[in-house]
Amino acid sequence: KQQNNGIGNIFSNAAAGLQQRRVGFDDGIAAISPIYSAPETFVKLDENPLTFDVFSAALIMCQLLFNLLDERTDAGFTQQLREANYDLDTWLENSLRAELRPLGFDDALEYLGERRGLWALMKRMLQPDPLNRISSAMALERLVEILALRSGEMDWSD
């Protein structure tokens, strides 16, 4: 049984694009917001075009989790990640050392702590090299497993 929540919907929509005509990928051209774009900014359709969506989805997931999704923090968060070479662990260490944290930051850490594997999944989604980035289908599959473990629909295998 697949749970359909906000994060799950992001992946469901991205994975659905695997079987449908891609909107925004016409004739080798893609509209890109610099705030949500992957490091490779110009997408080549013949070189892992679907990993671009995964990177953007991970950015939005992080912003939702850490309460950074507004016009004042969008570009700042992306810049912080870029300065950390898109390494979420480095970004988190820097954020934990900061004097000011966004409201809800500790709630995000608790949420992640209750969903074993979600942090690792987001790290795989934010790989700067698109060839090393997880695909949207694989990310969705992993997310479904993480949520099933959390809800008790599935047992730990290790």
Side-chain angles (χ1 to χ4, degrees):
K1 176 179 161 186
Q2 180 176 338
Q3 286 188 337
N4 240 349
N5 60 21
I7 293 174
N9 286 338
I10 291 171
F11 289 105
S12 296
N13 292 337
L18 293 172
Q19 296 145 2
Q20 300 174 4
R21 185 181 176 311
R22 298 293 309 248
V23 175
F25 284 109
D26 298 326
D27 298 322
I29 300 171
I32 299 170
S33 166
I35 292 173
Y36 300 106
S37 67
E40 66 272 13
T41 304
F42 296 100
V43 177
K44 294 181 182 177
L45 292 179
D46 58 342
E47 296 177 19
N48 295 322
L50 301 178
T51 59
F52 176 83
D53 288 342
V54 170
F55 188 94
S56 299
L59 283 174
I60 293 169
M61 284 174 56
C62 287
Q63 288 176 294
L64 287 169
L65 279 169
F66 291 99
N67 197 26
L68 300 169
L69 191 60
D70 68 44
E71 58 219 27
R72 294 170 300 167
T73 57
D74 276 354
F77 172 69
T78 303
Q79 181 61 34
Q80 290 172 1
L81 270 179
R82 193 173 294 125
E83 289 171 359
N85 294 318
Y86 300 98
D87 181 333
L88 273 181
D89 291 332
T90 300
W91 172 82
L92 182 59
E93 287 174 17
N94 293 340
S95 296
L96 289 171
R97 283 193 291 256
E99 290 184 31
L100 295 174
R101 292 187 205 149
L103 185 64
F105 192 89
D106 293 331
D107 293 335
L109 295 176
E110 182 179 336
Y111 183 90
L112 288 165
E114 294 171 351
R115 286 153 185 88
R116 183 177 172 182
L118 185 55
W119 186 254
L121 174 60
M122 292 189 321
K123 287 171 48 173
R124 291 185 65 197
M125 293 170 65
L126 282 173
Q127 287 295 309
D129 182 346
L131 298 176
N132 294 329
R133 200 174 301 143
I134 191 171
S135 71
S136 58
M138 288 174 45
L140 176 60
E141 182 180 319
R142 183 65 186 124
L143 179 65
V144 168
E145 290 172 2
I146 291 166
L147 297 177
L149 288 169
R150 168 72 171 114
S151 68
E153 295 175 26
M154 197 169 142
D155 291 325
W156 296 109
S157 62
D158 58 358

